[in-house]
Amino acid sequence: MTRRSSILVTLLAGAMMLSACANTVRGVGRDVGNTVDATGAAVNDVAR
């Protein structure tokens, strides 16, 4: 491969990795939000 092709492949691989990380972070955010909601609901059930 030429140097230019190597750089292009590296950049494309990096972009794909970063997009996968964005999806993972978004999923973790949803999970944390759901955990907070569930904990709040459990506290309200115990307080009644």
Side-chain angles (χ1 to χ4, degrees), residues 21-34:
C21 290
N23 290 334
T24 301
V25 170
R26 190 176 307 128
V28 169
R30 287 183 194 151
D31 291 344
V32 170
N34 289 338

Side-chain angles (χ1 to χ4, degrees), residues 6-30:
S6 296
I7 292 172
L8 181 61
V9 168
T10 303
L11 289 174
L12 289 174
M16 288 172 45
M17 284 186 230
L18 286 175
S19 67
C21 290
N23 290 334
T24 301
V25 170
R26 190 176 307 128
V28 169
R30 287 183 194 151

